[in-house]
Amino acid sequence: MRVAIAGAGAVGRSIARELLDNGHEVLLIDKNPRSIKVDSLPRAEWLLADACEITSLDEAGLERCNVVICATGDDKVNLVVSLLAKTEYGVPRVVARINHPNNEWLFNESWGVDVAVSTPRLLSALVEEAVSVGDLVRLMTFRQSEASLVELTMPDDAPLEQVFADVVVVRGDHPVPPRDMLEIQLPAEALQALAEEAEAQEENRWGGLDPFERGPEITETR
């Protein structure tokens, strides 16, 4: 997967390091020469340019990226890059960093943002997680499906049925609550893989022979 990161500061470099360790291609873009620290991440690509300029994004080959991460310390820059990445280059996934909580309402699909990451919200969620049992803690919101990633801490003696009752099933782009008769559907690829595996096991069982095929008859004459 090819990932472009706008903002090569401490946050951008930390994200890039994690992605590189996971085997992804990473391009770091920053207009500040002091942020271009090639020696810190020699495996990454570096581009000294303004990520808010179309010519810079053309040079970066943004149309070849699977994900764009807007990780600068300026919310205005993150919004502009998100919008350009989604509307001009059709990047499938755009992740944007929110620096000021008052700007959180702007980071939605209208500005091309698929996932908005708010550091204050994540920190407050971790604090709530440490002290809350039995309460839902919202970690982040996925704009496209209008779903939220939440965490629920259950007491040690909670019945297993109650844990599963809090599961949400996502069908397509729409999350739906669980129902008694909700049928769990496997993806078509998984069904095909299971069928092929069962067929291979059946062949190995009989050594490639058809167990129902009639063999040659032997007639003994005395």
Side-chain angles (χ1 to χ4, degrees), residues 90-118:
V91 177
R93 199 71 170 168
V94 177
V95 181
R97 170 190 176 189
I98 303 173
N99 295 279
H100 199 291
N102 291 343
N103 297 329
E104 185 174 352
W105 66 277
L106 289 167
F107 286 76
N108 53 38
E109 64 278 357
S110 299
W111 282 91
V113 178
D114 296 312
V115 179
V117 181
S118 171

PDB file of all heavy atoms in Angstrom, residues 90-118:
ATOM      1  N   GLY A  90      -8.895  11.518  -6.299  1.00  0.00           N
ATOM      2  CA  GLY A  90      -9.690  10.321  -6.041  1.00  0.00           C
ATOM      3  C   GLY A  90      -9.030   9.328  -5.111  1.00  0.00           C
ATOM      4  O   GLY A  90      -9.161   8.111  -5.303  1.00  0.00           O
ATOM      5  N   VAL A  91      -8.319   9.812  -4.108  1.00  0.00           N
ATOM      6  CA  VAL A  91      -7.663   8.915  -3.147  1.00  0.00           C
ATOM      7  C   VAL A  91      -8.736   8.160  -2.362  1.00  0.00           C
ATOM      8  O   VAL A  91      -9.646   8.779  -1.794  1.00  0.00           O
ATOM      9  CB  VAL A  91      -6.752   9.707  -2.193  1.00  0.00           C
ATOM     10  CG1 VAL A  91      -6.126   8.775  -1.160  1.00  0.00           C
ATOM     11  CG2 VAL A  91      -5.665  10.427  -2.987  1.00  0.00           C
ATOM     12  N   PRO A  92      -8.661   6.821  -2.293  1.00  0.00           N
ATOM     13  CA  PRO A  92      -9.732   6.053  -1.635  1.00  0.00           C
ATOM     14  C   PRO A  92      -9.910   6.363  -0.152  1.00  0.00           C
ATOM     15  O   PRO A  92     -11.022   6.353   0.355  1.00  0.00           O
ATOM     16  CB  PRO A  92      -9.289   4.592  -1.839  1.00  0.00           C
ATOM     17  CG  PRO A  92      -8.360   4.627  -3.004  1.00  0.00           C
ATOM     18  CD  PRO A  92      -7.675   5.945  -2.936  1.00  0.00           C
ATOM     19  N   ARG A  93      -8.807   6.638   0.550  1.00  0.00           N
ATOM     20  CA  ARG A  93      -8.904   6.817   2.008  1.00  0.00           C
ATOM     21  C   ARG A  93      -8.111   8.041   2.427  1.00  0.00           C
ATOM     22  O   ARG A  93      -6.917   8.146   2.159  1.00  0.00           O
ATOM     23  CB  ARG A  93      -8.351   5.568   2.712  1.00  0.00           C
ATOM     24  CG  ARG A  93      -8.787   5.416   4.150  1.00  0.00           C
ATOM     25  CD  ARG A  93     -10.252   5.055   4.224  1.00  0.00           C
ATOM     26  NE  ARG A  93     -10.657   4.664   5.568  1.00  0.00           N
ATOM     27  CZ  ARG A  93     -11.916   4.531   5.921  1.00  0.00           C
ATOM     28  NH1 ARG A  93     -12.875   4.730   5.048  1.00  0.00           N
ATOM     29  NH2 ARG A  93     -12.250   4.172   7.143  1.00  0.00           N
ATOM     30  N   VAL A  94      -8.795   8.967   3.087  1.00  0.00           N
ATOM     31  CA  VAL A  94      -8.146  10.190   3.566  1.00  0.00           C
ATOM     32  C   VAL A  94      -8.327  10.272   5.077  1.00  0.00           C
ATOM     33  O   VAL A  94      -9.455  10.263   5.583  1.00  0.00           O
ATOM     34  CB  VAL A  94      -8.744  11.444   2.890  1.00  0.00           C
ATOM     35  CG1 VAL A  94      -8.094  12.703   3.461  1.00  0.00           C
ATOM     36  CG2 VAL A  94      -8.549  11.380   1.383  1.00  0.00           C
ATOM     37  N   VAL A  95      -7.219  10.364   5.785  1.00  0.00           N
ATOM     38  CA  VAL A  95      -7.215  10.471   7.245  1.00  0.00           C
ATOM     39  C   VAL A  95      -6.642  11.836   7.615  1.00  0.00           C
ATOM     40  O   VAL A  95      -5.592  12.231   7.101  1.00  0.00           O
ATOM     41  CB  VAL A  95      -6.369   9.348   7.888  1.00  0.00           C
ATOM     42  CG1 VAL A  95      -6.402   9.467   9.410  1.00  0.00           C
ATOM     43  CG2 VAL A  95      -6.863   7.982   7.440  1.00  0.00           C
ATOM     44  N   ALA A  96      -7.331  12.552   8.486  1.00  0.00           N
ATOM     45  CA  ALA A  96      -6.912  13.910   8.822  1.00  0.00           C
ATOM     46  C   ALA A  96      -6.778  14.083  10.329  1.00  0.00           C
ATOM     47  O   ALA A  96      -7.599  13.585  11.105  1.00  0.00           O
ATOM     48  CB  ALA A  96      -7.893  14.936   8.263  1.00  0.00           C
ATOM     49  N   ARG A  97      -5.763  14.795  10.709  1.00  0.00           N
ATOM     50  CA  ARG A  97      -5.502  15.110  12.125  1.00  0.00           C
ATOM     51  C   ARG A  97      -6.215  16.398  12.503  1.00  0.00           C
ATOM     52  O   ARG A  97      -6.135  17.397  11.781  1.00  0.00           O
ATOM     53  CB  ARG A  97      -3.993  15.248  12.332  1.00  0.00           C
ATOM     54  CG  ARG A  97      -3.572  15.799  13.683  1.00  0.00           C
ATOM     55  CD  ARG A  97      -2.077  16.106  13.666  1.00  0.00           C
ATOM     56  NE  ARG A  97      -1.613  16.734  14.895  1.00  0.00           N
ATOM     57  CZ  ARG A  97      -0.393  17.240  15.051  1.00  0.00           C
ATOM     58  NH1 ARG A  97       0.468  17.197  14.043  1.00  0.00           N
ATOM     59  NH2 ARG A  97      -0.041  17.795  16.201  1.00  0.00           N
ATOM     60  N   ILE A  98      -6.924  16.378  13.623  1.00  0.00           N
ATOM     61  CA  ILE A  98      -7.579  17.568  14.160  1.00  0.00           C
ATOM     62  C   ILE A  98      -6.713  18.112  15.292  1.00  0.00           C
ATOM     63  O   ILE A  98      -6.456  17.432  16.282  1.00  0.00           O
ATOM     64  CB  ILE A  98      -8.990  17.243  14.694  1.00  0.00           C
ATOM     65  CG1 ILE A  98      -9.844  16.605  13.594  1.00  0.00           C
ATOM     66  CG2 ILE A  98      -9.661  18.494  15.234  1.00  0.00           C
ATOM     67  CD1 ILE A  98     -11.193  16.114  14.093  1.00  0.00           C
ATOM     68  N   ASN A  99      -6.274  19.362  15.133  1.00  0.00           N
ATOM     69  CA  ASN A  99      -5.425  19.965  16.159  1.00  0.00           C
ATOM     70  C   ASN A  99      -6.230  20.740  17.202  1.00  0.00           C
ATOM     71  O   ASN A  99      -5.916  20.707  18.377  1.00  0.00           O
ATOM     72  CB  ASN A  99      -4.407  20.896  15.489  1.00  0.00           C
ATOM     73  CG  ASN A  99      -3.437  20.149  14.597  1.00  0.00           C
ATOM     74  OD1 ASN A  99      -2.469  19.570  15.055  1.00  0.00           O
ATOM     75  ND2 ASN A  99      -3.707  20.154  13.291  1.00  0.00           N
ATOM     76  N   HIS A 100      -7.277  21.433  16.752  1.00  0.00           N
ATOM     77  CA  HIS A 100      -8.077  22.237  17.663  1.00  0.00           C
ATOM     78  C   HIS A 100      -9.473  21.632  17.771  1.00  0.00           C
ATOM     79  O   HIS A 100     -10.160  21.468  16.760  1.00  0.00           O
ATOM     80  CB  HIS A 100      -8.169  23.679  17.185  1.00  0.00           C
ATOM     81  CG  HIS A 100      -8.572  24.641  18.245  1.00  0.00           C
ATOM     82  ND1 HIS A 100      -9.849  24.659  18.799  1.00  0.00           N
ATOM     83  CD2 HIS A 100      -7.879  25.620  18.897  1.00  0.00           C
ATOM     84  CE1 HIS A 100      -9.921  25.597  19.719  1.00  0.00           C
ATOM     85  NE2 HIS A 100      -8.750  26.198  19.803  1.00  0.00           N
ATOM     86  N   PRO A 101      -9.926  21.302  18.960  1.00  0.00           N
ATOM     87  CA  PRO A 101     -11.244  20.663  19.116  1.00  0.00           C
ATOM     88  C   PRO A 101     -12.392  21.461  18.518  1.00  0.00           C
ATOM     89  O   PRO A 101     -13.383  20.876  18.061  1.00  0.00           O
ATOM     90  CB  PRO A 101     -11.391  20.529  20.636  1.00  0.00           C
ATOM     91  CG  PRO A 101      -9.992  20.558  21.167  1.00  0.00           C
ATOM     92  CD  PRO A 101      -9.225  21.455  20.246  1.00  0.00           C
ATOM     93  N   ASN A 102     -12.289  22.784  18.485  1.00  0.00           N
ATOM     94  CA  ASN A 102     -13.373  23.605  17.942  1.00  0.00           C
ATOM     95  C   ASN A 102     -13.546  23.419  16.433  1.00  0.00           C
ATOM     96  O   ASN A 102     -14.580  23.812  15.874  1.00  0.00           O
ATOM     97  CB  ASN A 102     -13.127  25.086  18.245  1.00  0.00           C
ATOM     98  CG  ASN A 102     -13.269  25.405  19.719  1.00  0.00           C
ATOM     99  OD1 ASN A 102     -13.851  24.625  20.482  1.00  0.00           O
ATOM    100  ND2 ASN A 102     -12.723  26.531  20.143  1.00  0.00           N
ATOM    101  N   ASN A 103     -12.552  22.850  15.777  1.00  0.00           N
ATOM    102  CA  ASN A 103     -12.625  22.647  14.330  1.00  0.00           C
ATOM    103  C   ASN A 103     -13.113  21.261  13.954  1.00  0.00           C
ATOM    104  O   ASN A 103     -13.200  20.936  12.760  1.00  0.00           O
ATOM    105  CB  ASN A 103     -11.257  22.894  13.691  1.00  0.00           C
ATOM    106  CG  ASN A 103     -10.777  24.317  13.874  1.00  0.00           C
ATOM    107  OD1 ASN A 103     -11.586  25.251  13.939  1.00  0.00           O
ATOM    108  ND2 ASN A 103      -9.474  24.499  13.970  1.00  0.00           N
ATOM    109  N   GLU A 104     -13.435  20.442  14.932  1.00  0.00           N
ATOM    110  CA  GLU A 104     -13.781  19.054  14.646  1.00  0.00           C
ATOM    111  C   GLU A 104     -14.976  18.934  13.711  1.00  0.00           C
ATOM    112  O   GLU A 104     -15.037  18.027  12.879  1.00  0.00           O
ATOM    113  CB  GLU A 104     -14.046  18.312  15.960  1.00  0.00           C
ATOM    114  CG  GLU A 104     -14.307  16.824  15.779  1.00  0.00           C
ATOM    115  CD  GLU A 104     -14.425  16.095  17.096  1.00  0.00           C
ATOM    116  OE1 GLU A 104     -14.147  16.707  18.153  1.00  0.00           O
ATOM    117  OE2 GLU A 104     -14.790  14.900  17.078  1.00  0.00           O
ATOM    118  N   TRP A 105     -15.936  19.824  13.808  1.00  0.00           N
ATOM    119  CA  TRP A 105     -17.152  19.731  13.000  1.00  0.00           C
ATOM    120  C   TRP A 105     -16.863  19.893  11.507  1.00  0.00           C
ATOM    121  O   TRP A 105     -17.660  19.483  10.658  1.00  0.00           O
ATOM    122  CB  TRP A 105     -18.152  20.793  13.455  1.00  0.00           C
ATOM    123  CG  TRP A 105     -17.706  22.209  13.206  1.00  0.00           C
ATOM    124  CD1 TRP A 105     -16.886  22.975  13.986  1.00  0.00           C
ATOM    125  CD2 TRP A 105     -18.057  23.027  12.086  1.00  0.00           C
ATOM    126  NE1 TRP A 105     -16.689  24.207  13.444  1.00  0.00           N
ATOM    127  CE2 TRP A 105     -17.404  24.277  12.277  1.00  0.00           C
ATOM    128  CE3 TRP A 105     -18.855  22.842  10.957  1.00  0.00           C
ATOM    129  CZ2 TRP A 105     -17.516  25.313  11.362  1.00  0.00           C
ATOM    130  CZ3 TRP A 105     -18.982  23.883  10.047  1.00  0.00           C
ATOM    131  CH2 TRP A 105     -18.319  25.106  10.253  1.00  0.00           C
ATOM    132  N   LEU A 106     -15.725  20.497  11.157  1.00  0.00           N
ATOM    133  CA  LEU A 106     -15.373  20.692   9.751  1.00  0.00           C
ATOM    134  C   LEU A 106     -14.835  19.423   9.098  1.00  0.00           C
ATOM    135  O   LEU A 106     -14.904  19.274   7.875  1.00  0.00           O
ATOM    136  CB  LEU A 106     -14.323  21.800   9.623  1.00  0.00           C
ATOM    137  CG  LEU A 106     -14.794  23.228   9.887  1.00  0.00           C
ATOM    138  CD1 LEU A 106     -13.601  24.156  10.035  1.00  0.00           C
ATOM    139  CD2 LEU A 106     -15.705  23.694   8.765  1.00  0.00           C
ATOM    140  N   PHE A 107     -14.301  18.521   9.877  1.00  0.00           N
ATOM    141  CA  PHE A 107     -13.611  17.354   9.330  1.00  0.00           C
ATOM    142  C   PHE A 107     -14.615  16.253   9.001  1.00  0.00           C
ATOM    143  O   PHE A 107     -14.795  15.300   9.760  1.00  0.00           O
ATOM    144  CB  PHE A 107     -12.556  16.856  10.328  1.00  0.00           C
ATOM    145  CG  PHE A 107     -11.344  17.742  10.406  1.00  0.00           C
ATOM    146  CD1 PHE A 107     -11.387  18.957  11.075  1.00  0.00           C
ATOM    147  CD2 PHE A 107     -10.150  17.359   9.796  1.00  0.00           C
ATOM    148  CE1 PHE A 107     -10.274  19.773  11.146  1.00  0.00           C
ATOM    149  CE2 PHE A 107      -9.036  18.178   9.859  1.00  0.00           C
ATOM    150  CZ  PHE A 107      -9.093  19.388  10.531  1.00  0.00           C
ATOM    151  N   ASN A 108     -15.261  16.398   7.850  1.00  0.00           N
ATOM    152  CA  ASN A 108     -16.254  15.418   7.420  1.00  0.00           C
ATOM    153  C   ASN A 108     -16.115  15.178   5.925  1.00  0.00           C
ATOM    154  O   ASN A 108     -15.172  15.661   5.280  1.00  0.00           O
ATOM    155  CB  ASN A 108     -17.668  15.878   7.780  1.00  0.00           C
ATOM    156  CG  ASN A 108     -17.978  17.276   7.270  1.00  0.00           C
ATOM    157  OD1 ASN A 108     -17.561  17.647   6.168  1.00  0.00           O
ATOM    158  ND2 ASN A 108     -18.689  18.058   8.067  1.00  0.00           N
ATOM    159  N   GLU A 109     -17.076  14.444   5.345  1.00  0.00           N
ATOM    160  CA  GLU A 109     -16.993  14.084   3.931  1.00  0.00           C
ATOM    161  C   GLU A 109     -17.064  15.296   3.015  1.00  0.00           C
ATOM    162  O   GLU A 109     -16.599  15.249   1.862  1.00  0.00           O
ATOM    163  CB  GLU A 109     -18.103  13.084   3.575  1.00  0.00           C
ATOM    164  CG  GLU A 109     -19.526  13.610   3.702  1.00  0.00           C
ATOM    165  CD  GLU A 109     -20.058  13.570   5.120  1.00  0.00           C
ATOM    166  OE1 GLU A 109     -19.324  13.074   6.011  1.00  0.00           O
ATOM    167  OE2 GLU A 109     -21.202  14.020   5.334  1.00  0.00           O
ATOM    168  N   SER A 110     -17.619  16.407   3.488  1.00  0.00           N
ATOM    169  CA  SER A 110     -17.674  17.616   2.659  1.00  0.00           C
ATOM    170  C   SER A 110     -16.278  18.138   2.337  1.00  0.00           C
ATOM    171  O   SER A 110     -16.066  18.772   1.295  1.00  0.00           O
ATOM    172  CB  SER A 110     -18.493  18.709   3.364  1.00  0.00           C
ATOM    173  OG  SER A 110     -19.826  18.280   3.592  1.00  0.00           O
ATOM    174  N   TRP A 111     -15.349  17.884   3.228  1.00  0.00           N
ATOM    175  CA  TRP A 111     -13.963  18.283   3.019  1.00  0.00           C
ATOM    176  C   TRP A 111     -13.091  17.097   2.608  1.00  0.00           C
ATOM    177  O   TRP A 111     -11.858  17.192   2.637  1.00  0.00           O
ATOM    178  CB  TRP A 111     -13.401  18.937   4.281  1.00  0.00           C
ATOM    179  CG  TRP A 111     -13.846  20.358   4.455  1.00  0.00           C
ATOM    180  CD1 TRP A 111     -14.941  20.800   5.126  1.00  0.00           C
ATOM    181  CD2 TRP A 111     -13.205  21.513   3.920  1.00  0.00           C
ATOM    182  NE1 TRP A 111     -15.031  22.158   5.050  1.00  0.00           N
ATOM    183  CE2 TRP A 111     -13.978  22.633   4.318  1.00  0.00           C
ATOM    184  CE3 TRP A 111     -12.064  21.723   3.152  1.00  0.00           C
ATOM    185  CZ2 TRP A 111     -13.630  23.939   3.961  1.00  0.00           C
ATOM    186  CZ3 TRP A 111     -11.720  23.018   2.788  1.00  0.00           C
ATOM    187  CH2 TRP A 111     -12.492  24.110   3.200  1.00  0.00           C
ATOM    188  N   GLY A 112     -13.717  15.992   2.239  1.00  0.00           N
ATOM    189  CA  GLY A 112     -12.960  14.842   1.749  1.00  0.00           C
ATOM    190  C   GLY A 112     -12.367  13.967   2.828  1.00  0.00           C
ATOM    191  O   GLY A 112     -11.543  13.098   2.529  1.00  0.00           O
ATOM    192  N   VAL A 113     -12.764  14.169   4.072  1.00  0.00           N
ATOM    193  CA  VAL A 113     -12.183  13.422   5.195  1.00  0.00           C
ATOM    194  C   VAL A 113     -12.984  12.140   5.435  1.00  0.00           C
ATOM    195  O   VAL A 113     -14.195  12.192   5.650  1.00  0.00           O
ATOM    196  CB  VAL A 113     -12.162  14.273   6.477  1.00  0.00           C
ATOM    197  CG1 VAL A 113     -11.591  13.468   7.641  1.00  0.00           C
ATOM    198  CG2 VAL A 113     -11.350  15.541   6.250  1.00  0.00           C
ATOM    199  N   ASP A 114     -12.298  11.010   5.380  1.00  0.00           N
ATOM    200  CA  ASP A 114     -12.939   9.732   5.699  1.00  0.00           C
ATOM    201  C   ASP A 114     -12.832   9.411   7.186  1.00  0.00           C
ATOM    202  O   ASP A 114     -13.773   8.913   7.798  1.00  0.00           O
ATOM    203  CB  ASP A 114     -12.303   8.602   4.883  1.00  0.00           C
ATOM    204  CG  ASP A 114     -12.536   8.777   3.393  1.00  0.00           C
ATOM    205  OD1 ASP A 114     -13.681   9.032   3.007  1.00  0.00           O
ATOM    206  OD2 ASP A 114     -11.562   8.673   2.620  1.00  0.00           O
ATOM    207  N   VAL A 115     -11.667   9.655   7.759  1.00  0.00           N
ATOM    208  CA  VAL A 115     -11.445   9.390   9.188  1.00  0.00           C
ATOM    209  C   VAL A 115     -10.776  10.615   9.800  1.00  0.00           C
ATOM    210  O   VAL A 115      -9.714  11.041   9.339  1.00  0.00           O
ATOM    211  CB  VAL A 115     -10.562   8.148   9.407  1.00  0.00           C
ATOM    212  CG1 VAL A 115     -10.334   7.927  10.909  1.00  0.00           C
ATOM    213  CG2 VAL A 115     -11.185   6.917   8.784  1.00  0.00           C
ATOM    214  N   ALA A 116     -11.410  11.185  10.804  1.00  0.00           N
ATOM    215  CA  ALA A 116     -10.845  12.325  11.518  1.00  0.00           C
ATOM    216  C   ALA A 116     -10.320  11.855  12.873  1.00  0.00           C
ATOM    217  O   ALA A 116     -11.025  11.178  13.617  1.00  0.00           O
ATOM    218  CB  ALA A 116     -11.903  13.404  11.707  1.00  0.00           C
ATOM    219  N   VAL A 117      -9.080  12.228  13.160  1.00  0.00           N
ATOM    220  CA  VAL A 117      -8.437  11.801  14.400  1.00  0.00           C
ATOM    221  C   VAL A 117      -8.204  13.027  15.272  1.00  0.00           C
ATOM    222  O   VAL A 117      -7.443  13.926  14.903  1.00  0.00           O
ATOM    223  CB  VAL A 117      -7.107  11.078  14.125  1.00  0.00           C
ATOM    224  CG1 VAL A 117      -6.468  10.631  15.437  1.00  0.00           C
ATOM    225  CG2 VAL A 117      -7.333   9.885  13.207  1.00  0.00           C
ATOM    226  N   SER A 118      -8.870  13.048  16.411  1.00  0.00           N
ATOM    227  CA  SER A 118      -8.733  14.161  17.347  1.00  0.00           C
ATOM    228  C   SER A 118      -7.935  13.689  18.554  1.00  0.00           C
ATOM    229  O   SER A 118      -8.381  12.816  19.299  1.00  0.00           O
ATOM    230  CB  SER A 118     -10.116  14.662  17.780  1.00  0.00           C
ATOM    231  OG  SER A 118     -10.002  15.589  18.832  1.00  0.00           O
TER     232      SER A 118
END
